[in-house]
Amino acid sequence: MQFQQLQYFVAVAETRHFTRAADLVHVAQPSLSQQIKALERELGADLFLRARGNITLTDAGEALLPLARRILADADTARLEVQELVQLRSGRVRLGATPSLCTGLLPDVLRAFHDRYPGIRLMIEEGGSHDLVRHLARGALDLALVVLPLPTPSPALATVELLREDLVVVSSPDAAKPGHGKRTVRIADLEGERLVMFRHGYDLRELTVAACRAEGFEPDFAVEGGEMDAVLGFVRAGLGMAVVPRMVAARAGRGLRVTPLARPGLHRTIALAHRSDVAPPRAARELQRMLLEH
């Protein structure tokens, strides 16, 4: 049974005339008659009673008509939904990002994307780069914002560098200034300071601990195990200081003192990753373009 045959059948059923039906579907009348006969052969039943000047449906035709109309309507619905998806009117984007990027980089970009494509659902997965790479590899995400270098480099992933961001030290305005009040502090100045530290799996944790060890000391944790919002809250409460991305510190609002790190400082490289063997969906490619232009 062919889709075109159902179109021809419904046209004849509605016009009760083969020639008018052929005009309606823009096909030659002999071709339409041949397709109707082919449909009848496949179904094993006559669909029309053909008398001179009088075309009526058989019982089989009456049974097929509502089903054929439903199939044609569903096909129209499918076509419209696919067109809307292609035109970015509907669909979804599954984006992974580290919590600090969800706090710092993404709000402005996602707002701009939502304003332009309000019908696209944005599904955000927070996690460390290691977890996000795994989710990408198994197809659970379309795109992910990760910190380079990747913990487990994979040839199945393609990455595009997005930005290089400075890290800064945040502390409570009521606490003693880091580095004895200097305008900038070195990592070495954090020796003996009480730090608020992220949970295991956070890229910022590994970066900060590695930098301290490179200066010859182990960091002293006042509190550890928090997510980004919790870490900032603990710092505001005066429990210790923390090393965070500049964008996060800028968006964190009042209640934090921000001190830059002295050169060469600490930086992290943010990249946009996706599977190299599968092209991201159209909506994901559009979000990718907006992130790269931000």
Side-chain angles (χ1 to χ4, degrees), residues 15-44:
T15 62
R16 302 302 170 104
H17 197 281
F18 276 74
T19 301
R20 285 198 293 270
D23 291 338
L24 187 66
V25 295
H26 308 293
V27 68
Q29 189 269 326
S31 296
L32 179 139
S33 297
Q34 290 174 5
Q35 289 299 319
I36 294 294
K37 288 178 181 178
L39 179 59
E40 289 175 324
R41 286 196 301 270
E42 179 163 352
L43 294 174

Side-chain angles (χ1 to χ4, degrees), residues 173-193:
D174 298 327
K177 293 182 178 181
H180 307 291
K182 291 181 290 187
R183 294 181 61 183
T184 61
V185 295
R186 299 170 297 123
I187 291 297
D189 294 329
L190 299 182
E191 184 174 6
E193 298 283 4

Side-chain angles (χ1 to χ4, degrees), residues 151-171:
T152 52
S154 170
L157 293 182
T159 59
V160 180
E161 187 172 320
L162 204 60
L163 60 94
R164 191 166 183 260
E165 183 180 18
D166 293 337
L167 302 185
V168 297
V169 176
V170 291
S171 56

Side-chain angles (χ1 to χ4, degrees), residues 42-200:
E42 179 163 352
L43 294 174
D46 290 336
L47 299 173
F48 298 101
L49 294 172
R50 297 166 175 85
R52 186 176 297 277
N54 186 24
I55 303 294
T56 59
L57 287 165
T58 63
D59 289 343
E62 293 283 5
L64 177 62
L65 184 57
L67 298 174
R69 283 173 171 159
R70 189 185 311 158
I71 291 169
L72 295 176
D74 287 345
D76 282 339
T77 299
R79 177 177 54 81
L80 289 173
E81 288 186 356
V82 170
Q83 285 179 348
E84 286 184 347
L85 182 61
V86 170
Q87 295 169 10
L88 296 170
R89 294 179 183 172
S90 64
R92 70 176 184 184
V93 177
R94 302 169 301 170
L95 174 66
T98 63
S100 60
L101 291 172
C102 287
T103 302
L105 172 67
L106 282 184
D108 292 339
V109 177
L110 294 187
R111 173 59 185 271
F113 182 86
H114 178 71
D115 288 347
R116 186 175 299 180
Y117 307 111
I120 302 294
R121 287 184 298 129
L122 293 165
M123 304 175 68
I124 307 301
E125 175 79 23
E126 284 190 81
S129 294
H130 181 76
D131 293 334
L132 296 178
V133 166
R134 286 194 297 106
H135 294 330
L136 271 177
R138 64 183 178 86
L141 294 174
D142 300 312
L143 302 169
L145 289 165
V146 297
V147 178
L148 296 181
L150 294 177
T152 52
S154 170
L157 293 182
T159 59
V160 180
E161 187 172 320
L162 204 60
L163 60 94
R164 191 166 183 260
E165 183 180 18
D166 293 337
L167 302 185
V168 297
V169 176
V170 291
S171 56
S172 168
D174 298 327
K177 293 182 178 181
H180 307 291
K182 291 181 290 187
R183 294 181 61 183
T184 61
V185 295
R186 299 170 297 123
I187 291 297
D189 294 329
L190 299 182
E191 184 174 6
E193 298 283 4
R194 302 281 281 168
L195 299 182
V196 178
M197 185 51 64
F198 301 96
R199 63 170 173 80
H200 286 282

Side-chain angles (χ1 to χ4, degrees), residues 211-291:
C212 292
R213 288 174 177 168
E215 292 294 329
F217 69 95
E218 285 292 322
D220 184 11
F221 300 152
V223 184
E224 63 175 315
E227 302 283 344
M228 179 60 70
D229 288 343
V231 166
L232 295 176
F234 294 150
V235 171
R236 286 190 186 96
L239 291 171
M241 58 188 65
V243 177
V244 303
R246 183 182 294 277
M247 278 191 296
V248 171
R251 297 184 69 96
R254 296 180 179 180
L256 288 176
R257 177 197 295 123
V258 179
T259 307
L261 284 165
R263 292 182 179 182
L266 281 182
H267 318 275
R268 63 174 187 169
T269 301
I270 308 301
L272 191 58
H274 63 84
R275 289 177 60 180
S276 57
D277 58 337
V278 179
R282 171 73 187 278
R285 296 200 303 272
E286 182 62 14
L287 178 58
Q288 181 180 39
R289 183 189 65 78
M290 294 179 70
L291 282 165

